[in-house]
């Protein structure tokens, strides 16, 4: 039996929002496993919180660059939001995004590529910026989408300037149809993705492990009702259908027009575009998503400085 420490209970409380005693019981029931305890709380109806809910965002900016049939999104982290408002930092993010267009879009490839303004690799240019600005920076994530025929539309939410902000989205539309129609549709879908954060484009593309985890939670929730197994199975299948509708892009209600799904909106746009349209890719980078940020006690820091 794993030891249920106060730190472990505190971590589960922060991630689930459940009460202390419920968290302690959940950990005891699941041998101290945080992930299993979160699922246990959800199954009991005590918590619906996502495992990342207790995480806080890192600072910095997300940058996007595009060239019609291809686009990239990059995330450059910094220690404080003061740096994100610095003109030099913002120019660096834009510059890195533009460099990324000529690479395969991976962080390693971008870091090794030459930054035109310095004549050095991007990695070394970032090091120079750290020395100049005086704060640590990290090129953490990136994504690139490309289509032979069609467009890769982009959207930046909470923009801090041209092509930079807190959230960046790319959507690849494969089609030989009218470019203006494709660009308009793509931007609307990108805005939808920014708002809903779908797990996959189609339900069959949802990660099997994620789907299985949800199914197990639904099974436990249904068993709480005390109904026969045959009824429980039907209940679970119904909940899973709804789950896939909610997390797969094409089956979601379109935020621009909730009366239709995204898939139907794409079909409707084909008439205006004059050709078949296929959503072939999407990428969504939210600044600091998944990064643990150490909490600090500002009063204690001031007191420590005062003591020398």
């Amino acid at each position: 039996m794993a030891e249920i420490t106060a730190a472990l209970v505190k971590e589960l409380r922060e991630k689930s929002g459940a009460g202390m005693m419920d968290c302690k019981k959940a950990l005891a029931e699941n041998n101290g496993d945080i992930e299993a305890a979160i699922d246990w709380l959800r199954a009991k109806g005590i918590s619906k919180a996502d495992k990342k809910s207790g995480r806080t965002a890192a600072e910095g900016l997300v940058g996007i660059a595009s060239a019609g049939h291809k686009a990239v999104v990059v995330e450059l982290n910094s220690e404080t939001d003061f740096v994100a408002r610095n003109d030099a930092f913002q120019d660096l993010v834009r510059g890195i995004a533009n460099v990324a267009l000529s690479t395969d879009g991976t962080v390693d490839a971008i870091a090794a590529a030459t930054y035109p303004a310095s004549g050095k690799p991007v990695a070394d240019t970032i090091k120079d910026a750290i020395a100049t600005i005086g704060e640590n920076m990290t090129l953490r994530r990136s994504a690139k989408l490309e289509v032979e025929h069609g467009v890769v539309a982009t959207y930046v939410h909470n923009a801090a300037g041209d092509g930079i902000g807190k959230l960046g989205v790319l959507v690849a539309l494969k089609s030989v149809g009218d470019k203006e129609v494709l660009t308009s549709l793509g931007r609307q879908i990108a805005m939808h993705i920014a708002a809903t954060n779908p797990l996959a484009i189609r339900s069959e593309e949802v990660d099997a492990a994620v789907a299985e985890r949800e199914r197990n939670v639904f099974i436990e929730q249904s068993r709480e009702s005390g109904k026969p197994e045959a009824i429980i199975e039907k209940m679970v299948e119904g909940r899973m259908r709804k789950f896939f509708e909610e997390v797969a892009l094409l089956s979601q209600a379109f935020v621009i027009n909730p009366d239709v799904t995204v898939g139907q909106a794409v079909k409707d746009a084909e008439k205006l575009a004059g050709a078949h349209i296929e959503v072939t890719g999407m990428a969504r980078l939210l600044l600091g998503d998944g990064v643990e940020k150490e909490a600090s006690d500002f009063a204690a820091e001031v007191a420590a400085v005062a003591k020398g």
Side-chain angles (χ1 to χ4, degrees), residues 145-163:
L145 295 181
E146 188 168 359
V147 289
E148 184 177 358
H149 300 289
V151 301
V152 178
T154 67
Y155 173 66
V156 177
H157 189 64
N158 286 337
D162 185 29

Side-chain angles (χ1 to χ4, degrees), residues 59-66 71-78 89-111 113 115 122 126 138-145 154-157 162-170 283-289:
E59 305 301 338
L61 285 170
V62 169
I64 279 181
S66 64
V72 293
V73 56
V74 300
E75 178 184 359
L76 186 64
N77 291 139
S78 60
F89 182 82
Q90 293 184 357
D91 288 342
L92 179 62
V93 175
R94 290 192 190 92
I96 291 173
N98 284 320
V99 169
L101 271 176
S102 61
T103 72
D104 64 8
T106 62
V107 168
D108 288 345
I110 297 169
Y115 192 82
V122 167
I126 292 174
T138 306
L139 178 61
R140 190 167 77 96
R141 294 184 297 168
S142 61
K144 180 181 181 182
L145 295 181
T154 67
Y155 173 66
V156 177
H157 189 64
D162 185 29
I164 54 175
K166 301 293 186 181
L167 170 62
V169 179
L170 311 179
R284 179 184 187 274
L285 293 191
L286 173 63
L287 178 67
D289 188 28

Side-chain angles (χ1 to χ4, degrees), residues 226-302:
K227 290 183 173 15
E229 285 296 319
I231 300 298
I232 288 174
E233 184 176 342
K234 290 181 179 178
M235 290 172 63
V236 170
E237 289 308 313
R239 290 188 179 189
M240 286 303 295
R241 282 195 296 272
K242 185 171 179 58
F243 166 73
F244 284 124
E245 287 176 4
E246 291 175 346
V247 302
L249 172 66
L250 295 181
S251 60
Q252 290 179 330
F254 196 21
V255 294
I256 307 299
N257 178 11
D259 291 334
V260 300
T261 63
V262 174
Q264 186 58 52
V266 172
K267 282 288 183 186
D268 293 344
E270 289 179 347
K271 300 170 187 175
L272 292 173
H276 176 67
I277 302 172
E278 180 183 359
V279 182
T280 59
M282 65 178 183
R284 179 184 187 274
L285 293 191
L286 173 63
L287 178 67
D289 188 28
V291 173
E292 295 283 2
K293 187 177 179 183
E294 184 179 353
S296 61
D297 185 334
F298 184 67
E301 290 179 8
V302 173

Side-chain angles (χ1 to χ4, degrees), residues 110-125:
I110 297 169
T114 300
Y115 192 82
S118 66
K120 300 178 181 179
V122 167
D124 290 342
T125 303

Side-chain angles (χ1 to χ4, degrees), residues 191-207:
M191 293 172 70
H192 172 97
I193 292 170
T196 65
N197 192 21
L199 298 183
I201 295 174
R202 300 163 187 83
S203 58
E204 61 268 24
E205 296 169 0
V206 174
D207 185 272

